[in-house]
Amino acid sequence: MSVAIGEPIPDLELPVTGGKTVKLSDYRGQHLVLYFYPKASTPGCTQEGQDFRDAAAEFAAAHTQILGASRDGVKAQENFKTKQAFPFDLVSDTDEALCQAFDVIKLKKMYGKESLGVERSTFLIDAEGVLRAQWRGVKVKDHVAEVLSAARALATG
């Protein structure tokens, strides 16, 4: 079962960069952008992360935190965050609990081979922990601007 717009998100406990563990409820009181990407330090995922990084101050002004997530281990996430100077944490979802809760594991085809992977997706969660918007099968170009616009709209009510 995956989350649906207008419904509360599950309060999962997650390992994040910085040697911390967070619960999704830790973000209550602020809006949250939760974005899923297939693999740390790959070109599209790097560009998407950089776009969120470059807009971080604008998201903060809209009372919105950012949290990135993939199935990479903590070490890979730490390296990715440090190398790209991301001002937000990255989730290491190696057990796929978060990916499954948001239904982002999809059958993908690459070079004629099929495999299960993370579909690039973004979710906007309000200050009460309710899912307000989602983008699935995201194309990186102009995506962050679209999410920022939705975050601003949510912040102004």
Side-chain angles (χ1 to χ4, degrees):
M1 194 202 104
S2 81
V3 295
I5 290 179
E7 292 185 1
I9 61 166
D11 191 19
L12 299 173
E13 195 167 308
L14 309 161
V16 297
T17 45
K20 302 178 298 214
T21 301
V22 299
K23 284 184 145 185
L24 290 175
S25 60
D26 294 344
Y27 294 92
R28 297 258 167 86
Q30 294 249 319
H31 305 307
L32 175 65
V33 166
L34 175 60
Y35 79 96
F36 290 86
Y37 53 93
K39 188 150 183 55
S41 302
T42 56
C45 301
T46 298
Q47 184 61 59
E48 183 180 25
Q50 289 170 341
D51 291 350
F52 275 114
R53 176 197 66 202
D54 295 347
E58 294 171 85
F59 277 102
H63 309 292
T64 305
Q65 301 261 8
I66 301 167
L67 190 61
S70 75
R71 299 184 302 178
D72 294 292
V74 172
K75 190 170 178 11
Q77 296 289 50
E78 289 287 0
N79 292 342
F80 188 33
K81 178 181 175 174
T82 301
K83 187 173 182 188
Q84 301 303 328
F86 293 153
F88 46 83
D89 283 318
L90 301 177
V91 175
S92 171
D93 192 32
T94 54
D95 68 359
E96 299 180 2
L98 188 63
C99 288
Q100 289 173 5
F102 284 85
D103 192 29
V104 298
I105 303 286
K106 303 290 181 193
L107 191 61
K108 299 171 120 184
K109 278 188 179 176
M110 189 180 272
Y111 309 119
K113 285 186 169 168
E114 288 187 345
S115 64
L116 288 175
V118 173
E119 177 184 53
R120 192 180 308 281
S121 307
T122 303
F123 300 88
L124 181 60
I125 299 145
D126 72 12
E128 308 300 314
V130 174
L131 180 62
R132 292 297 172 197
Q134 64 183 359
W135 295 263
R136 293 181 180 272
V138 166
K139 301 287 180 249
V140 173
K141 188 170 168 36
D142 301 324
H143 173 61
V144 169
E146 195 179 323
V147 177
L148 180 58
S149 175
R152 284 178 171 148
L154 189 59
T156 57

